[in-house]
Amino acid sequence: MNKTILTLVAVVLLFNCSTAQKVTPVEAPKVVSTIDKSDIKASMIKALEWQEAHPIFAISPTDWTAGAYYVGVARAHKSTNDMIYMAALKNQGYWNNWQTYKRLHHADDVAISYSYIYIDMKGGRRNFVDLEPTKKFLDAHLYDDDNWKAGTDKSNMGKTILWWWCDALFMAPPVLNLYAKHTKQPKYLDEMHKFYMETYNQLYDKEERLFARDMRFVWQGNDKDTKEPNGKKVFWSRGNGWVFAGLALILDDMPTDYEHRPFYENLYKEMADKILEIQPEDGLWRTSLLCPESYDHGEVSGSGFHTFALAWGINNGLLDKKHTPAVKKAWKALKACQHEDGRVGWVQNIGAFPEPASADSWQNFGTGAFLMAGSEVLNLD
Amino acid sequence: MNKTILTLVAVVLLFNCSTAQKVTPVEAPKVVSTIDKSDIKASMIKALEWQEAHPIFAISPTDWTAGAYYVGVARAHKSTNDMIYMAALKNQGYWNNWQTYKRLHHADDVAISYSYIYIDMKGGRRNFVDLEPTKKFLDAHLYDDDNWKAGTDKSNMGKTILWWWCDALFMAPPVLNLYAKHTKQPKYLDEMHKFYMETYNQLYDKEERLFARDMRFVWQGNDKDTKEPNGKKVFWSRGNGWVFAGLALILDDMPTDYEHRPFYENLYKEMADKILEIQPEDGLWRTSLLCPESYDHGEVSGSGFHTFALAWGINNGLLDKKHTPAVKKAWKALKACQHEDGRVGWVQNIGAFPEPASADSWQNFGTGAFLMAGSEVLNLD
Amino acid sequence: MNKTILTLVAVVLLFNCSTAQKVTPVEAPKVVSTIDKSDIKASMIKALEWQEAHPIFAISPTDWTAGAYYVGVARAHKSTNDMIYMAALKNQGYWNNWQTYKRLHHADDVAISYSYIYIDMKGGRRNFVDLEPTKKFLDAHLYDDDNWKAGTDKSNMGKTILWWWCDALFMAPPVLNLYAKHTKQPKYLDEMHKFYMETYNQLYDKEERLFARDMRFVWQGNDKDTKEPNGKKVFWSRGNGWVFAGLALILDDMPTDYEHRPFYENLYKEMADKILEIQPEDGLWRTSLLCPESYDHGEVSGSGFHTFALAWGINNGLLDKKHTPAVKKAWKALKACQHEDGRVGWVQNIGAFPEPASADSWQNFGTGAFLMAGSEVLNLD
């Protein structure tokens, strides 16, 4: 996206802010004081079943969209131990022949390996999962030369580091972390940390405690800075969801005594506080976190990731239990975005900055976020 | 089918004509004056979902049955822009590895490429679709020698031209036409026209304005001619549906200034007039167009193709709007053949001449015809 | 499983016997005097649809779990001629590329070929099915040397014969029998009989007229013998179901004048009498046939196989029609274990001896057993 397009985007944002149309979820969330666990499980299974019956991908069944979806399926299995999830996981891994997607320098293309490693850890049969393609990818990804690492790519997105866009922090680091744990090779964790810091240093806004999606959205302090119609910085809900949920995934499997663990715990806490501060009244975050009036409706992929990460924090002692009601509210609102047949709606389509969703808009990664949220909400008190 | 068998068929037809059993659709069509577009869309999606959940093919997922089905899915996507259709299209193309089926001289085996070309035109990602197998097929199909072209095949079906059976005019010509447009190579269109004329000259009955299925059904004026029990010629509803719907597909993507376009427009108009003239009272055509009493129930694959072609003509100015009620009546009757769970029933099984269907009989190409019909009825005002 | 584990199992069994918890099916079976055939067909289709939408396997889509499931689908097709079953059969065969699973000495890995041979016999198109991998497997299985045949395997399970566990009598013999018939090569049937007798001689308990699962459960008359809490021998319901249903499959396609046919008919009758004798009041067999109180609930995979075999015997004159009510009662109880959405519950998971099931527990081979049962109950007058 060049600056001309960004300007157009800003105009559109402006227009939307001024005419802020209020879109309602599929059905209005009912006020319920407690959450019925069997009800959560039933919603999750329906979401899985609908998604499995509607296979979708951007460019391959091994791409990041499937990767994110099957992280959700893996977490649902981890939380419920229901073999309906493991059956789906094994089925995709088998037919994908345990392959990553093909661009070895691109974090997106190894996201699917989270599910492969998970299956290998839980699925039982020896020699069923083939982690060789994952290993080859990770080694090439970490150690081979490429334009991004070298800083020779001239894109205005700032492709001068390996993980130059914040989504990448969901795609590759949890895989490296889990692979390090599963194969007992801490070097993969160390490498993860090195590249993670690069992204953190470039895209994390310490004042706002949120991540810019990429360098186009990092202010340089001049009149070319991309602004929301209300004058604020552009912080994309899903983009921050990728980072925030990715942090929970990483912490979940990172050794408790890992030397850099405090950095991740601290970052998790900073983001959690911010995400809670800006949670809209109805429970779901808007696609533009600091200009919610742009598209004034809850968006499910970002909100699902936030809900997962917050609930995980409560369940794992990193977040005070007093935030439980806020998280439950978010889940109830997420559930209200699910259609009767299981489809998870209100998911912003593939993109790189705030855009609207609709009751009917869906994507596998949105279903994945929904499953991730459910998997941790299930474990609240 | 040799003449002995044809005689047997005639006997069966006779028997059926005399005992004409009236079969009723799943539920009787209600008289509705207007058509609710969201209702059409919902019916189409249910049809797609049921069909995707019940994969079927004659000999391969790339054969003509899948080819015709995915033409329907492509048209549904073109008309609605609903990504549920594109997801299904991409999924099949990916797993079929963009292959045609294998008999390079056989029009059936390239029908699937209509969907591949469509995805390449609409699906976005560069290098996602591989049209190389399609190109190889088309080049061999047009330019390589074979028995059919050479006229050395001794079948009584009249396999002395490339496209010796009328179904072929749906299978290959729309693909050649779309490929010519997409790749900007008019030579494929010119070749299409050349072979199309051969079939037209052999099988089109100018008096009846309908196509014989193949040479077995073209009268030679002697007592070996195949007759319906009522003494008329055998004109198969689905066979003519292949031609008629194929014409609409071709015209939809043929350059407006193409020198032979008037031929196709004229043929379209002749067939449209005839098909409208013989439309049964309840809206759906019988499997034997000129002996409807043979199997006196609406048949969905032929009727779906007719409905698509007629609605397309109205939507594109080739057919008078006064015919809109007839087309809407057909759609309502088609919809009445859909089961509650989405299954499209009353589809005659794979065959080559009129045979009965039942409320439960289904085939993917029947679902394709249903989707094609819906995709154009949706645009009737 | 070594003896320590077996002891543990015995303790668990003891515990369960004393605390016999009564688990109820999804819904209580209603007392119905006649069986509605369209109702059976509808239940079978729902079971198929749910299972196709929830693909599962232990290690590969060609493994024994899929093998047993698709035997059920094949029998459902044979009984109903509904092409919904043939579509599913062809789809799996095509995508499995007509491969067996890979361990050529292991009966489990050729179970899938039953469906391939069936498709080739019924599916129509020449050269559609490739039986070459099946032939290669069978030849290696019968004629190659291996540790089991040689008796050099030191397992306490008694792996000193080719088919050392009773499940094997379902996995390979019906395939060999059907292959012999289809290819008109009686030598495969003769080889089958040779190995069948080995298993019969090792595992069949003539007094109890039931099969031990493997040598761990054959009493040697000392205090290391594995006992149920009530002091009886361990006879696993599903294990005996494999043998009993396998016998019906074999007899169904074995030449009526085959010299060893009387042996199989006699064994069938002995088992049928026993299975009928011990049928629980509510119609469904418990996982432990002689200690039903261990897990006091009907289990569907074993019961489905028993019901299939019994109904087959009545339909084929090997069993007195007076047993029809018992078989109908079993079917009604099986049907009560099916969920509203089609899922067949109360299926014991993969195992090798009695373990409990639950309303939600499912497996593809359980669905296969359900389809097998329905396919024969449908033919009871």
Side-chain angles (χ1 to χ4, degrees), chain B residues 165-370:
Chain B
W165 71 116
C166 73
D167 318 26
L169 298 187
F170 181 95
M171 304 303 166
V175 172
L176 285 160
N177 179 58
L178 198 62
Y179 188 77
K181 176 182 181 177
H182 182 46
T183 65
K184 300 187 175 58
Q185 296 185 82
K187 71 171 181 176
Y188 290 100
L189 183 53
D190 291 334
E191 291 294 318
M192 178 204 91
H193 181 65
K194 187 179 81 184
F195 290 113
Y196 200 104
M197 290 307 297
E198 286 184 0
T199 309
Y200 171 85
N201 289 329
Q202 264 203 8
L203 301 181
Y204 187 58
D205 188 312
K206 288 182 181 168
E207 213 164 299
E208 295 290 4
R209 290 163 291 153
L210 293 170
F211 276 77
R213 199 273 178 175
D214 55 58
M215 285 302 290
R216 294 172 300 176
F217 302 96
V218 174
W219 283 9
Q220 309 297 337
N222 59 45
D223 60 3
K224 288 183 181 157
D225 289 341
T226 310
K227 289 183 171 60
E228 288 285 8
N230 63 5
K232 298 201 175 160
K233 293 177 184 165
V234 177
F235 289 109
W236 181 34
S237 180
R238 184 160 71 229
N240 280 276
W242 291 127
V243 181
F244 192 29
L247 274 168
L249 290 177
I250 292 168
L251 285 165
D252 203 44
D253 286 295
M254 181 181 270
T256 50
D257 61 353
Y258 180 58
E259 63 171 312
H260 299 298
R261 185 176 175 97
F263 165 81
Y264 294 92
E265 291 194 352
N266 187 57
L267 180 58
Y268 170 86
K269 287 175 186 168
E270 282 184 25
M271 290 191 76
D273 285 348
K274 177 71 177 196
I275 292 294
L276 282 164
E277 274 170 31
I278 60 175
Q279 182 182 27
E281 187 51 42
D282 63 12
L284 295 189
W285 291 262
R286 276 50 177 158
T287 54
S288 179
L289 290 176
L290 300 190
C291 183
E293 62 274 28
S294 281
Y295 308 107
D296 197 10
H297 59 77
E299 191 280 331
V300 161
S301 64
S303 297
F305 291 136
H306 301 322
T307 305
F308 163 74
L310 293 169
W312 178 88
I314 293 170
N315 291 334
N316 289 276
L318 261 78
L319 202 59
D320 197 298
K321 278 189 199 301
K322 74 180 179 194
H323 297 301
T324 303
V327 178
K328 286 187 175 174
K329 181 164 72 174
W331 171 256
K332 283 166 201 158
L334 285 172
K335 194 169 135 43
C337 296
Q338 184 177 35
H339 293 233
E340 186 59 39
D341 65 359
R343 182 204 295 212
V344 176
W346 291 103
V347 175
Q348 183 189 335
N349 209 338
I350 295 175
F353 47 82
E355 289 174 295
S358 75
D360 284 337
S361 60
W362 59 282
Q363 272 290 357
N364 49 358
F365 54 82
T367 308
F370 184 89

Side-chain angles (χ1 to χ4, degrees), chain A residues 50 53-61 95-96 341 343 349-350 362-363, chain B residues 45 48-49 52 82-84 87-88 90-91 94-95 123 125-128:
Chain A
W50 192 90
H54 296 80
I56 190 171
F57 49 78
I59 195 158
S60 159
W95 290 106
N96 281 333
D341 64 0
R343 180 203 296 211
N349 209 339
I350 295 174
W362 59 282
Q363 272 290 356
Chain B
I45 288 179
L48 172 89
E49 289 178 324
E52 289 293 310
D82 189 325
M83 74 187 200
I84 204 167
K90 288 169 69 176
N91 197 59
Y94 177 88
W95 290 106
R125 304 272 174 159
R126 237 178 338 131
N127 298 327
F128 173 59

Side-chain angles (χ1 to χ4, degrees), chain A residues 4-182:
Chain A
T4 317
I5 296 179
L6 266 181
T7 311
L8 277 170
V9 170
V11 170
V12 170
L13 289 172
L14 185 60
F15 178 77
N16 268 277
C17 261
S18 53
T19 63
Q21 125 237 37
K22 178 83 182 177
V23 192
T24 51
V26 177
E27 56 179 64
K30 296 160 197 154
V31 180
V32 193
S33 51
T34 59
I35 285 190
D36 177 358
K37 297 207 172 189
S38 67
D39 184 65
I40 300 175
K41 286 183 184 174
S43 286
M44 291 168 68
I45 287 178
K46 282 180 78 171
L48 173 89
E49 289 178 324
W50 192 90
Q51 193 58 70
E52 289 293 310
H54 296 80
I56 190 171
F57 49 78
I59 195 158
S60 159
T62 59
D63 69 18
W64 66 269
T65 68
Y69 168 50
Y70 285 108
V71 169
V73 179
R75 299 303 297 196
H77 182 263
K78 181 169 182 178
S79 180
T80 65
N81 214 29
D82 189 326
M83 75 187 199
I84 206 167
Y85 299 109
M86 184 50 80
L89 286 168
K90 287 169 70 176
N91 197 59
Q92 64 92 9
Y94 178 88
W95 290 106
N96 281 333
N97 202 20
W98 314 107
Q99 296 299 306
T100 65
Y101 192 50
K102 63 188 175 190
R103 300 163 300 176
L104 303 179
H105 65 291
H106 204 309
D108 282 359
D109 294 5
V110 79
I112 193 73
S113 288
Y114 186 95
S115 66
Y116 301 159
I117 302 167
Y118 180 81
I119 301 166
D120 202 43
M121 292 168 86
K122 298 274 182 167
R125 304 271 174 159
R126 236 179 338 130
N127 298 327
F128 173 60
V129 178
D130 176 9
L131 289 182
E132 205 49 40
T134 294
K135 178 185 171 14
K136 277 190 187 152
F137 187 108
L138 293 178
D139 287 343
H141 190 65
L142 295 173
Y143 305 117
D144 285 2
D145 292 337
D146 85 284
N147 285 345
W148 293 352
K149 281 181 192 161
T152 52
D153 187 292
K154 297 302 177 198
S155 160
N156 71 327
M157 296 190 203
K159 299 181 175 181
T160 57
I161 54 174
L162 180 60
W163 299 333
W164 52 264
W165 72 114
C166 71
D167 318 26
L169 299 186
F170 181 96
M171 305 302 166
V175 172
L176 285 160
N177 180 58
L178 198 63
Y179 188 79
K181 177 182 181 179
H182 182 47

